[in-house]
Coordinates of all heavy atoms in Angstrom, one line a residue:
G1 N 9.9 12.2 -8.9 CA 9.1 12.8 -7.9 C 8.9 11.9 -6.7 O 8.6 12.4 -5.6
F2 N 9.2 10.6 -6.9 CA 9.0 9.7 -5.8 C 10.1 9.9 -4.8 O 11.3 10.1 -5.2 CB 9.1 8.2 -6.4 CG 9.2 7.2 -5.3 CD1 8.0 6.8 -4.7 CD2 10.3 6.6 -4.9 CE1 8.0 5.7 -3.8 CE2 10.4 5.5 -4.0 CZ 9.2 5.1 -3.4
D3 N 9.8 9.9 -3.5 CA 10.7 10.1 -2.4 C 10.6 8.9 -1.5 O 9.5 8.8 -0.8 CB 10.5 11.4 -1.7 CG 11.5 11.8 -0.6 OD1 11.8 10.9 0.2 OD2 12.0 12.9 -0.7
T4 N 11.6 8.1 -1.3 CA 11.5 6.9 -0.5 C 11.1 7.3 1.0 O 10.3 6.6 1.6 CB 12.8 6.1 -0.5 OG1 13.1 5.7 -1.9 CG2 12.7 4.8 0.3
V5 N 11.7 8.3 1.5 CA 11.5 8.7 2.9 C 10.0 9.1 3.1 O 9.3 8.7 4.0 CB 12.4 9.9 3.3 CG1 12.0 10.4 4.7 CG2 13.9 9.4 3.3
V6 N 9.5 9.9 2.2 CA 8.0 10.3 2.3 C 7.1 9.1 2.1 O 6.2 8.9 2.8 CB 7.7 11.4 1.2 CG1 6.2 11.6 1.1 CG2 8.5 12.7 1.4
F7 N 7.5 8.2 1.2 CA 6.7 7.0 0.9 C 6.7 6.2 2.2 O 5.6 5.7 2.6 CB 7.4 6.2 -0.2 CG 6.8 4.9 -0.4 CD1 5.6 4.7 -1.1 CD2 7.5 3.7 0.0 CE1 5.1 3.4 -1.3 CE2 7.0 2.5 -0.2 CZ 5.8 2.3 -0.9
E8 N 7.8 6.0 2.9 CA 7.8 5.2 4.1 C 7.0 5.8 5.2 O 6.3 5.2 6.0 CB 9.3 5.0 4.5 CG 10.0 4.0 3.7 CD 9.6 2.5 3.9 OE1 8.8 2.3 4.8 OE2 10.0 1.7 3.1
E9 N 7.1 7.2 5.3 CA 6.3 7.9 6.4 C 4.8 7.7 6.2 O 4.1 7.4 7.1 CB 6.7 9.3 6.4 CG 8.1 9.6 6.9 CD 8.5 11.1 6.8 OE1 7.7 11.8 6.1 OE2 9.6 11.5 7.3
N10 N 4.4 7.9 4.9 CA 3.0 7.8 4.7 C 2.5 6.3 4.8 O 1.4 6.0 5.2 CB 2.6 8.3 3.3 CG 2.7 9.8 3.2 OD1 2.6 10.5 4.2 ND2 2.8 10.4 2.0
L11 N 3.3 5.4 4.4 CA 3.0 4.0 4.5 C 2.9 3.6 6.0 O 2.0 2.8 6.4 CB 4.0 3.1 3.8 CG 3.6 1.6 3.6 CD1 2.3 1.5 2.9 CD2 4.7 1.0 2.8
K12 N 3.7 4.1 6.8 CA 3.6 3.9 8.3 C 2.3 4.3 8.8 O 1.7 3.6 9.6 CB 4.8 4.6 9.0 CG 4.8 4.4 10.5 CD 6.0 5.1 11.1 CE 6.1 4.9 12.6 NZ 7.2 5.7 13.2
E13 N 1.8 5.5 8.4 CA 0.5 6.0 8.8 C -0.6 5.1 8.3 O -1.6 4.8 9.0 CB 0.3 7.4 8.3 CG -0.9 8.1 8.8 CD -1.0 8.3 10.3 OE1 0.1 8.4 10.9 OE2 -2.1 8.5 10.8
I14 N -0.5 4.7 7.0 CA -1.5 3.8 6.4 C -1.7 2.5 7.2 O -2.8 2.0 7.5 CB -1.2 3.6 5.0 CG1 -1.5 4.8 4.1 CG2 -2.0 2.3 4.4 CD1 -3.0 5.1 4.0
K15 N -0.5 1.9 7.6 CA -0.5 0.6 8.2 C -1.2 0.6 9.6 O -1.5 -0.4 10.1 CB 0.9 0.1 8.3 CG 1.4 -0.4 6.9 CD 2.9 -0.6 6.9 CE 3.4 -1.7 7.8 NZ 4.8 -1.9 7.7
K16 N -1.4 1.8 10.2 CA -2.1 1.9 11.5 C -3.6 1.5 11.3 O -4.2 1.2 12.3 CB -1.9 3.3 12.1 CG -0.5 3.7 12.5 CD -0.5 5.1 13.0 CE 0.9 5.6 13.3 NZ 0.9 7.0 13.7
H17 N -4.1 1.7 10.1 CA -5.5 1.6 9.9 C -5.8 0.6 8.8 O -6.9 0.0 8.8 CB -6.1 2.9 9.5 CG -5.8 4.0 10.4 ND1 -6.4 4.3 11.6 CD2 -4.8 5.0 10.3 CE1 -5.8 5.3 12.2 NE2 -4.9 5.8 11.4
F18 N -4.9 0.3 7.8 CA -5.2 -0.5 6.7 C -4.3 -1.8 6.9 O -3.3 -1.9 7.6 CB -4.7 0.1 5.4 CG -5.6 1.2 4.9 CD1 -5.7 2.4 5.6 CD2 -6.3 1.1 3.7 CE1 -6.5 3.5 5.2 CE2 -7.1 2.2 3.3 CZ -7.2 3.3 4.0
R19 N -4.8 -2.9 6.2 CA -4.0 -4.1 6.2 C -3.7 -4.5 4.7 O -4.5 -4.3 3.8 CB -4.8 -5.2 6.9 CG -6.2 -5.5 6.4 CD -6.9 -6.4 7.4 NE -8.3 -6.5 7.0 CZ -8.8 -7.5 6.3 NH1 -8.0 -8.5 5.9 NH2 -10.1 -7.6 6.0
P20 N -2.6 -5.1 4.5 CA -2.3 -5.6 3.1 C -3.1 -6.8 2.7 O -3.5 -7.6 3.5 CB -0.8 -6.0 3.2 CG -0.6 -6.4 4.6 CD -1.5 -5.5 5.4
T21 N -3.4 -6.8 1.4 CA -4.2 -7.9 0.8 C -3.8 -8.1 -0.6 O -3.1 -7.2 -1.2 CB -5.7 -7.7 1.0 OG1 -6.4 -8.9 0.6 CG2 -6.2 -6.6 0.1
N22 N -4.3 -9.1 -1.3 CA -4.1 -9.2 -2.7 C -5.4 -8.8 -3.4 O -6.4 -8.8 -2.8 CB -3.6 -10.6 -3.2 CG -4.6 -11.7 -2.9 OD1 -5.7 -11.7 -3.3 ND2 -4.2 -12.7 -2.1
I23 N -5.3 -8.5 -4.7 CA -6.4 -7.9 -5.4 C -7.6 -8.9 -5.4 O -8.8 -8.5 -5.4 CB -6.0 -7.5 -6.8 CG1 -7.0 -6.6 -7.5 CG2 -5.7 -8.7 -7.7 CD1 -7.1 -5.3 -6.9
Q24 N -7.4 -10.2 -5.4 CA -8.5 -11.2 -5.4 C -9.2 -11.1 -4.1 O -10.4 -11.5 -4.1 CB -8.0 -12.6 -5.6 CG -7.5 -12.9 -7.1 CD -6.1 -12.5 -7.4 OE1 -5.4 -11.9 -6.5 NE2 -5.6 -12.9 -8.5
A25 N -8.6 -10.6 -3.1 CA -9.3 -10.6 -1.8 C -9.7 -9.1 -1.5 O -10.0 -8.8 -0.3 CB -8.4 -11.1 -0.6
S26 N -9.7 -8.3 -2.5 CA -10.0 -6.9 -2.2 C -11.6 -6.6 -2.0 O -11.9 -5.6 -1.5 CB -9.6 -6.0 -3.4 OG -10.2 -6.3 -4.6
E27 N -12.4 -7.6 -2.4 CA -13.8 -7.4 -2.2 C -14.1 -7.5 -0.7 O -13.4 -8.1 0.0 CB -14.6 -8.4 -3.0 CG -14.6 -8.2 -4.5 CD -15.1 -6.8 -5.0 OE1 -16.2 -6.5 -4.4 OE2 -14.5 -6.1 -5.7
G28 N -15.3 -7.0 -0.4 CA -15.7 -7.1 1.0 C -15.6 -5.8 1.8 O -15.8 -4.8 1.2
H29 N -15.2 -5.9 3.0 CA -15.3 -4.7 3.9 C -13.9 -4.4 4.4 O -13.0 -5.2 4.5 CB -16.3 -4.9 5.0 CG -17.6 -5.5 4.6 ND1 -18.3 -6.4 5.3 CD2 -18.3 -5.3 3.5 CE1 -19.4 -6.8 4.7 NE2 -19.4 -6.1 3.6
G30 N -13.7 -3.1 4.9 CA -12.5 -2.8 5.6 C -11.6 -1.9 4.8 O -11.9 -1.5 3.6
L31 N -10.5 -1.6 5.4 CA -9.5 -0.7 4.8 C -8.3 -1.6 4.4 O -7.6 -2.2 5.3 CB -9.0 0.4 5.8 CG -10.1 1.2 6.4 CD1 -9.6 2.1 7.5 CD2 -10.9 2.0 5.4
K32 N -8.0 -1.6 3.1 CA -7.0 -2.5 2.6 C -6.1 -1.8 1.6 O -6.4 -0.8 1.0 CB -7.6 -3.7 1.9 CG -8.7 -4.5 2.8 CD -9.4 -5.5 2.0 CE -10.5 -6.2 2.9 NZ -11.2 -7.2 2.1
Y33 N -4.9 -2.5 1.3 CA -4.0 -1.9 0.3 C -3.2 -3.0 -0.3 O -3.0 -4.1 0.2 CB -3.1 -0.8 0.9 CG -2.0 -1.3 1.9 CD1 -0.8 -1.8 1.4 CD2 -2.2 -1.4 3.2 CE1 0.2 -2.3 2.2 CE2 -1.3 -1.9 4.1 CZ 0.0 -2.3 3.6 OH 0.9 -2.8 4.5
N34 N -2.7 -2.7 -1.5 CA -1.6 -3.5 -2.1 C -0.8 -2.6 -2.9 O -0.9 -1.4 -2.9 CB -2.3 -4.7 -3.0 CG -2.8 -4.2 -4.3 OD1 -3.0 -3.0 -4.6 ND2 -3.0 -5.2 -5.2
F35 N 0.2 -3.2 -3.7 CA 1.1 -2.4 -4.5 C 1.0 -2.8 -5.9 O 0.6 -3.9 -6.3 CB 2.5 -2.6 -4.0 CG 2.8 -2.1 -2.6 CD1 2.7 -3.0 -1.5 CD2 3.0 -0.8 -2.4 CE1 2.9 -2.5 -0.2 CE2 3.3 -0.3 -1.1 CZ 3.2 -1.2 0.0
Q36 N 1.3 -1.8 -6.8 CA 1.3 -2.1 -8.2 C 2.7 -1.7 -8.8 O 3.2 -0.6 -8.5 CB 0.2 -1.3 -8.9 CG -1.2 -1.7 -8.6 CD -2.2 -1.0 -9.5 OE1 -2.0 0.1 -10.0 NE2 -3.4 -1.6 -9.6
Y37 N 3.3 -2.7 -9.4 CA 4.7 -2.6 -9.9 C 4.6 -2.6 -11.4 O 4.2 -3.7 -12.0 CB 5.5 -3.7 -9.3 CG 7.0 -3.6 -9.6 CD1 7.9 -3.1 -8.6 CD2 7.6 -4.1 -10.8 CE1 9.2 -3.1 -8.9 CE2 8.9 -4.1 -11.0 CZ 9.8 -3.6 -10.1 OH 11.1 -3.6 -10.2
T38 N 4.9 -1.5 -12.1 CA 4.9 -1.5 -13.5 C 6.3 -1.8 -14.0 O 7.3 -1.0 -13.8 CB 4.5 -0.1 -14.0 OG1 3.2 0.2 -13.6 CG2 4.5 -0.1 -15.6
T39 N 6.4 -2.9 -14.8 CA 7.7 -3.4 -15.2 C 8.1 -2.8 -16.6 O 7.4 -2.7 -17.5 CB 7.7 -4.9 -15.4 OG1 7.2 -5.5 -14.1 CG2 9.1 -5.4 -15.6
T40 N 9.4 -2.2 -16.6 CA 9.9 -1.6 -17.8 C 11.4 -2.1 -17.9 O 11.9 -2.9 -17.1 CB 9.9 -0.1 -17.7 OG1 10.8 0.3 -16.7 CG2 8.5 0.5 -17.3
I41 N 12.0 -1.6 -19.0 CA 13.4 -1.9 -19.1 C 14.2 -1.3 -18.0 O 15.4 -1.7 -17.7 CB 14.0 -1.5 -20.5 CG1 13.9 0.1 -20.6 CG2 13.2 -2.1 -21.6 CD1 14.7 0.6 -21.9

């Protein structure tokens, strides 16, 4: 169901308002994001 093109388009929109951070710095104020990678075989 994942579509790389759709993902990139939505991420482009998010990046206009949000900034990347790590989970330890997620507290506080503002619009932030990070990624979660689930490792499998």
Side-chain angles (χ1 to χ4, degrees):
F2 176 79
D3 185 312
T4 302
V5 173
V6 172
F7 173 78
E8 287 288 351
E9 288 175 351
N10 287 340
L11 193 53
K12 181 179 179 181
E13 184 66 21
I14 285 293
K15 287 166 63 178
K16 294 177 183 177
H17 310 280
F18 288 67
R19 55 193 171 95
T21 189
N22 64 58
I23 194 69
Q24 286 87 351
S26 64
E27 291 299 314
H29 314 142
L31 308 176
K32 306 173 185 179
Y33 70 90
N34 79 343
F35 296 96
Q36 294 187 338
Y37 188 97
T38 300
T39 310
T40 68
I41 65 172

